[in-house]
Amino acid sequence: MGLSNSTPIASHFEKLKGWTFDRFLNTVTLYEEQGYSFALTPDDVCVLTGFSQQEAIDLIFSLTGGKNTRVNAMVLLTVVGVIADSAKDMDAARYLAIFDLFDFNKSEELGMDELSILLLCCATGMAAVLNQPLTNMEDPILLDLTSKIYRY
């Protein structure tokens, strides 16, 4: 899991890639304790990431494809969880932390809706990191994959 060092990415993602896994976990805790909404403003992103205002705007622009001035918090946190400390092998801890983000009712298991949202946020976030368009947000392959994972 993570991101290869040979993969070219924007500078704001490069900064997030350099985060420690603990910093990611602390950011998730801050997000939850402060009661942020799902739609983060540039100011929210600044507080959560320590980025400058312009870096936060650039990050939001990347994660939304330039379509919004706010970013989905789950997309942002998922991206950070995937790429932070990516040189280290901590897959089980990453998976658990990311799954916990989407366990909205804290039941310690993901329902079909939560799993669908998780996969969509991962796809959206990683497409942004790799600067690739995500053309169909209701891709039947993604929906089929979600269904198969959920039944498994």
Side-chain angles (χ1 to χ4, degrees), residues 21-127:
F21 186 67
D22 284 339
R23 183 168 178 190
F24 159 67
L25 293 176
N26 290 338
T27 301
V28 170
T29 300
L30 177 64
Y31 169 79
E32 291 173 343
E33 288 178 352
Q34 295 301 313
Y36 285 98
S37 72
F38 284 116
L40 299 176
T41 66
D43 289 338
D44 298 334
V45 173
C46 288
V47 171
L48 290 169
T49 63
F51 280 14
S52 70
Q53 188 76 16
Q54 189 58 55
E55 288 171 321
I57 290 168
D58 292 345
L59 179 60
I60 291 170
F61 186 86
S62 291
L63 289 173
T64 65
K67 297 177 186 167
N68 209 324
T69 58
R70 294 176 181 241
V71 65
N72 182 308
M74 297 295 102
V75 172
L76 173 63
L77 293 171
T78 301
V79 164
V80 177
V82 170
I83 68 175
D85 234 353
S86 61
K88 294 188 179 169
D89 184 20
M90 300 186 303
D91 290 344
R94 281 183 210 278
Y95 295 139
L96 289 173
I98 291 169
F99 273 75
D100 284 348
L101 274 174
F102 291 88
D103 182 10
F104 299 125
N105 62 5
K106 303 302 180 202
S107 66
E108 297 189 8
E109 56 185 55
L110 296 182
M112 181 71 168
D113 290 341
E114 293 165 321
L115 185 60
S116 297
I117 295 166
L118 182 152
L119 290 175
L120 185 57
C121 287
C122 283
T124 301
M126 293 315 296

